[in-house]
Amino acid sequence: REKNLTEEEKLEINRSYVNEVVQYIKRLEDAQSKRQEKLIEKHKDIRQQILDEKPKLQSELDQEYQDKFRRLPVEIQEFVQEATKGNGDHCTVSFSMASDSGKLNHKTHQSEEDIEEESPEKVFDTPL
């Protein structure tokens, strides 16, 4: 009979322990579920913020691109002028923008004699 009682006590202790573990697991699952819901909501908010800001940022980027593209011929001309200042009389480089073709015209002269002998500028089909 004592053996029976101890077996019943063991079974009761095991059942109690299993119930505790099951309750603990359920609490963990509930907490994880709540964290998952919060993450999903935060993800939705961030995604919406990106979608809301995208047109504005795209517009700013397009404007910046257009501004830089418009300044490009001037920057090229300034660069070439600076480069030719450093070279002195040895080499002269001239760039001009052909407004109708959008191509870059480039001519390099070795000396003043070559300038007089050569015909119109060589045109390279290099788009900007």
Side-chain angles (χ1 to χ4, degrees), residues 96-108:
S96 65
M97 295 299 296
S99 59
D100 57 304
S101 66
K103 306 293 181 192
L104 186 63
N105 296 327
H106 174 255
K107 182 177 180 182
T108 304

Side-chain angles (χ1 to χ4, degrees), residues 54-68:
K54 184 180 177 182
K56 177 184 172 243
L57 294 173
Q58 185 66 47
S59 174
E60 289 173 4
L61 190 61
D62 289 344
Q63 184 62 45
E64 181 181 346
Y65 170 79
Q66 291 297 326
D67 292 344
K68 286 183 178 183

Side-chain angles (χ1 to χ4, degrees), residues 56-111:
K56 177 184 172 243
L57 294 173
Q58 185 66 47
S59 174
E60 289 173 4
L61 190 61
D62 289 344
Q63 184 62 45
E64 181 181 346
Y65 170 79
Q66 291 297 326
D67 292 344
K68 286 183 178 183
F69 189 75
R70 277 188 227 108
R71 286 193 312 260
L72 188 59
V74 173
E75 289 180 17
I76 291 172
Q77 186 177 17
E78 289 172 355
F79 174 79
V80 171
Q81 286 174 352
E82 287 297 317
T84 57
K85 283 181 186 176
N87 290 335
D89 293 332
H90 300 299
C91 180
T92 305
V93 179
S94 66
F95 283 92
S96 65
M97 295 299 296
S99 59
D100 57 304
S101 66
K103 306 293 181 192
L104 186 63
N105 296 327
H106 174 255
K107 182 177 180 182
T108 304
H109 301 287
Q110 306 307 14
S111 67

Side-chain angles (χ1 to χ4, degrees), residues 14-38:
N14 283 340
R15 267 190 232 115
S16 174
Y17 179 72
V18 167
N19 284 336
E20 279 182 50
V21 170
V22 167
Q23 291 301 317
Y24 183 70
I25 290 172
K26 284 182 180 180
R27 285 193 303 269
L28 288 174
E29 287 175 341
D30 288 344
Q32 181 64 24
S33 178
K34 288 177 184 177
R35 283 192 293 270
Q36 181 71 21
E37 287 175 20
K38 286 180 183 178

